[in-house]
Amino acid sequence: MPARPALSSLRTIGKLSAATGVKIPTIRFYEQIGLLPEPPRTASDRRLYDAAALQRLSFIRHARQLGFDLDAIRSLLDLSDHPDRPCGEANAIAERHLVDVSEKIAQLQALRTELKRMTAECAGGRVSACKVIEVLHDHDLCAAGHDRTEGGLMTSRRRSVARLTP
């Protein structure tokens, strides 16, 4: 049985939140979905987190800042929990994410091109002759090949799922 950490090295959820910059409801969510193990609790039912929880939550936060989705983070954490395994799988996860990021950048560049064109063609007159309003009413007037899905940017994985969904 592992030794319990000294009480002085444990922190409450509020202190963990302050130390990592992760909001308390998000910490609870990560516990609910299994990214962060549920911590031991005091007799008064307060959560107490050790240094390992701080390190794991910091890992999750950094991965989220880099745009990794929760499934990728779960896989990366699993790899991190088994340091003797080869790192090829971690690299493959990062490479897949890099492809998604590159696609998003290309989509954003196409959106920027289209928005520049729309605003440049606006004569500044009445709304009835406004190029911005006209193009927003008719997608076929767009010059750039930007994403036509509702909500804009989509990763290749989400596009594949969208194509398969009726």
Side-chain angles (χ1 to χ4, degrees):
M1 174 178 254
R4 295 189 77 169
L7 209 50
S8 63
S9 68
L10 298 175
R11 53 180 49 92
T12 63
I13 195 168
K15 291 190 184 207
L16 181 68
S17 173
T20 60
V22 178
K23 295 181 187 225
I24 291 172
T26 304
I27 295 171
R28 290 183 182 134
F29 172 71
Y30 290 157
E31 288 174 12
Q32 289 172 352
I33 64 170
L35 288 181
L36 194 62
E38 289 210 22
R41 294 180 181 253
T42 65
S44 61
D45 207 33
R46 290 183 70 176
R47 294 170 166 93
L48 291 177
Y49 298 88
D50 60 12
L54 173 71
Q55 183 178 16
R56 190 172 184 92
L57 186 57
S58 295
F59 180 102
I60 295 167
R61 181 173 189 258
H62 191 207
R64 292 296 289 155
Q65 287 173 328
L66 290 172
F68 285 97
D69 64 33
L70 295 177
D71 288 334
I73 293 171
R74 185 179 312 282
S75 296
L76 291 165
L77 284 168
D78 182 58
L79 289 166
S80 179
D81 290 342
H82 300 93
D84 292 336
R85 288 172 52 187
C87 71
E89 190 178 338
N91 194 47
I93 292 167
E95 285 177 351
R96 283 192 301 271
H97 185 54
L98 178 59
V99 167
D100 287 345
V101 168
S102 297
E103 289 176 359
K104 286 178 187 175
I105 289 170
Q107 290 172 359
L108 285 169
Q109 288 171 334
L111 287 173
R112 183 177 78 201
T113 299
E114 183 59 30
L115 289 168
K116 281 183 174 182
R117 187 188 69 80
M118 285 170 42
T119 57
E121 291 180 11
C122 184
R126 300 207 173 269
V127 170
S128 62
C130 179
K131 192 65 172 178
V132 173
I133 299 296
E134 182 183 347
V135 171
L136 290 175
H137 274 292
D138 186 353
H139 198 281
D140 290 334
L141 296 175
C142 288
H146 62 89
D147 192 348
R148 288 179 175 247
T149 60
E150 184 177 333
L153 302 179
M154 256 191 170
T155 63
S156 59
R157 198 171 321 131
R158 286 175 42 207
R159 271 194 299 282
S160 297
V161 170
R163 277 188 231 116
L164 298 174
T165 306

